[in-house]
Each structure stands twice: as C-alpha cells, then as structure tokens.
Amino acid sequence: MKISVVSILSLAIAAVSAMPANDNSDNGAYSAYGYGHGHSKKPANKNLIMIVSDGFGVASETLARTYVQQIDRKPYEWLSTLDELLVGTSRTKASDSLVTDSAAGATAFSCGKKSYNGAIGVTDDEKPCGTVLEAAKLQGYKTGLVTTSRITHATPASFAAHVVDRDMEGLIAQHEIGDNTLGNKVDLMFGGGLCFFQPNTTKGSC
C-alpha cells in the first residue's frame, strides 16, 4: 500500500511522548488559553503521535484504495491500512469559506474550533485558543513537531503558535521557541524554515 503510506506522511507530525507529571504543577497562563485550572495527572499513555496529511481526505484515500485494487488485482472488499485504522471523521471547514486552507484546517485539529482561512491557533474573533500540543505539555508530556515543510508553515504552526495570519512566519517562529505567554511548549522541532529563526543581520535570514 505505497500510495497511502506516502500520502499520510506527506506533511506534518505532532508527536508527544510521556514523562512523569508534577501533580502540583499549575500555570498562571493555564486558563488564558482555555484549559481551566486543575492538578496535572500522570499521563495514562506512553506515547501519542498525531499525523496530519495536509490536503488528504476521504476522496484521496478512496482514490488510493481503488488504484491499488486495480493495479494489484485485489478484491473489491480489500481494505487499506488506513481503512483499518479509521475510527471516525471530522469536519474542518473554515468559518469564512467553502474552501479551507491549511491554517484553518490545522487550527480545527489543534484547538477543536473552526476559524477563518489564515488563522494560526486563533478563533474566529482572533483570540488565542489552547492547542492539544500545549495541553499535552501542561499535562507533563514531552512534545515535538516534525514536518516535511517549513516548521513555520500553517499546519505545524497551528499547534504551537497563535497569530492572526499564516504569513507572519517570523512571529510564528518566535512563538514556537517559546516567546509567548505560555513559554516554550515544544521540546523538539524538525523541519525547514531555518531562515525565520535567524536575526535579520544574519546572512540567509528571511
């Protein structure tokens, strides 16, 4: 099933792996991003890897499945690896358009809230919304972002930054390294876009 594997790994991975939590930890900024207060608990799961394949949906999987069925002469009832993993679907439609961009789609994934095209970790009224990555960090997990694009691209950015426009990649880079209200919530980042993390006086800076 080469097509589905390549497709699902096409863009971004938000990975979180467990570490012991401090049961008495609390953060003054905890409620500012919509989490509410409460004691941290030791993570129940050792690892969680969230894979976001930008632009890949039910139609893409259907095309891949049908292609393999035809090329490899598999029966109509044959299921791909992704079919076996599917437990449900979500609607990530932008709040301002029938055509959703990466920013609005990823913000729906990360915050659980629909927003406008271009929104990075903010709601429709441009207010920051808590992301699943930030919540994991506050629960004692080690967190990471791995992407085949720029790390400041809309999809990975929506898990660790809060800006009103996806093109503000310099500010996104600042947020990703912890220059924000919550501080550093990403322990590991792999991806492109190094120039956005360099001073303007540095050769090769964006």
Side-chain angles (χ1 to χ4, degrees):
M1 189 54 195
K2 294 180 180 178
I3 292 179
S4 289
V5 172
V6 171
S7 297
I8 199 68
L9 292 177
S10 63
L11 184 61
I13 300 174
V16 285
S17 53
M19 66 173 283
N22 179 353
D23 288 338
N24 295 318
S25 65
D26 201 359
N27 189 321
Y30 196 63
S31 61
Y33 282 71
Y35 300 124
H37 288 277
H39 294 298
S40 297
K41 296 180 180 179
K42 187 174 181 179
N45 298 310
K46 233 177 178 183
N47 299 292
L48 168 66
I49 298 176
M50 180 177 179
I51 302 177
V52 180
S53 51
D54 198 328
F56 182 89
V58 176
S60 305
E61 170 60 9
T62 300
L63 174 63
R65 183 194 313 110
T66 303
Y67 178 83
V68 172
Q69 286 173 337
Q70 292 294 321
I71 296 301
D72 294 344
R73 299 184 182 279
K74 294 185 179 294
Y76 175 78
E77 298 80 13
W78 176 82
L79 298 178
S80 72
T81 302
L82 292 182
D83 289 320
E84 296 171 359
L85 293 173
L86 181 65
V87 294
T89 58
S90 62
R91 304 178 78 176
T92 57
K93 176 184 171 296
S95 61
D96 65 340
S97 175
L98 290 175
V99 179
T100 306
D101 80 341
S102 301
T107 294
F109 280 135
S110 66
C111 291
K113 295 181 179 294
K114 289 182 173 62
S115 196
Y116 58 91
N117 280 343
I120 301 292
V122 296
T123 57
D124 207 31
D125 55 358
E126 300 186 348
K127 293 181 180 178
C129 53
T131 72
V132 64
L133 183 142
E134 292 165 343
K137 182 65 176 177
L138 290 171
Q139 287 295 310
Y141 284 82
K142 290 288 188 182
T143 62
L145 291 171
V146 181
T147 179
T148 57
S149 69
R150 298 184 307 280
I151 200 73
T152 53
H153 188 272
T155 299
S158 295
F159 288 84
H162 305 276
V163 300
V164 298
D165 192 301
R166 61 180 294 170
D167 292 330
M168 302 166 69
E169 293 190 56
L171 183 56
I172 288 171
Q174 288 181 245
H175 281 215
E176 289 180 333
I177 61 173
D179 187 7
N180 58 55
T181 305
L182 288 178
N184 186 18
K185 296 302 176 198
V186 188
D187 295 296
L188 175 71
M189 290 190 292
F190 283 157
L194 175 63
C195 66
F196 289 106
F197 296 87
Q198 297 176 326
N200 291 334
T201 54
T202 304
K203 184 178 180 181
S205 170
C206 294

